[in-house]
Amino acid sequence: MGAIQEPTPEMGPYRVELRRESFILTRTDAAQDMRVSEHEAVIPLTDYSHIGPAFDQALSQLERWEAAGRPTPPDLSWTADDHGQQAPATWEMECPHDQLRIRGPWIVGYERGLWHVELCYVDASAFLHAFYAAAMA
């Protein structure tokens, strides 16, 4: 259970829910094919400008988490997929056509028009670095 944040206009269709060691990023009005698998997603490049502001809102929790001395290493057991396979340890991103394909250490879901991912705060900086590099390529 987390704290759902008030979205800013810059976040467009994205919403953030803060948790202790992770956050959930949700996109409203999402197409089902945004979820490829438990660890892989496709984001339309038209969403590019909304991702940064959504992560800015989520990373406000990271500062509090770091200030608490990161009490324990993150438990990533929740990232195992239905077959017991762990999420990849690094981010793989590519831009085929007008979309960004992302595979990495997160859990990707889809339900009734809502695409969502759960991502540990500790993986957020690496995500953003890979995201901006891939989207600008």
Side-chain angles (χ1 to χ4, degrees), residues 43-46 95-100:
I43 298 173
L45 282 183
T46 55
C95 285
H97 310 294
D98 58 350
Q99 55 188 297
L100 179 62

Side-chain angles (χ1 to χ4, degrees), residues 96-107:
H97 310 294
D98 58 350
Q99 55 188 297
L100 179 62
R101 186 182 269 311
I102 305 169
R103 181 170 159 71
W106 60 0
I107 295 295

Side-chain angles (χ1 to χ4, degrees), residues 8-81:
T8 65
E10 297 80 19
M11 292 168 56
Y14 288 89
R15 307 294 179 261
V16 171
E17 178 182 343
L18 301 177
R19 294 180 167 211
R20 185 170 164 234
E21 292 183 352
S22 64
F23 64 95
I24 295 176
L25 179 65
T26 300
R27 186 190 194 283
T28 60
D29 263 344
Q32 188 169 1
D33 62 358
M34 286 182 67
R35 181 188 186 276
V36 177
S37 71
E38 288 92 347
H39 306 299
E40 191 169 350
V42 175
I43 298 173
L45 282 183
T46 55
D47 286 8
Y48 174 79
S49 64
H50 303 301
I51 299 294
F55 267 71
D56 287 346
Q57 189 177 72
L59 292 179
S60 66
Q61 177 67 13
L62 177 62
E63 293 170 7
R64 289 190 291 264
W65 188 59
E66 288 177 334
R70 292 185 177 175
T72 58
D75 173 12
L76 299 179
S77 61
W78 58 269
T79 65
D81 65 19

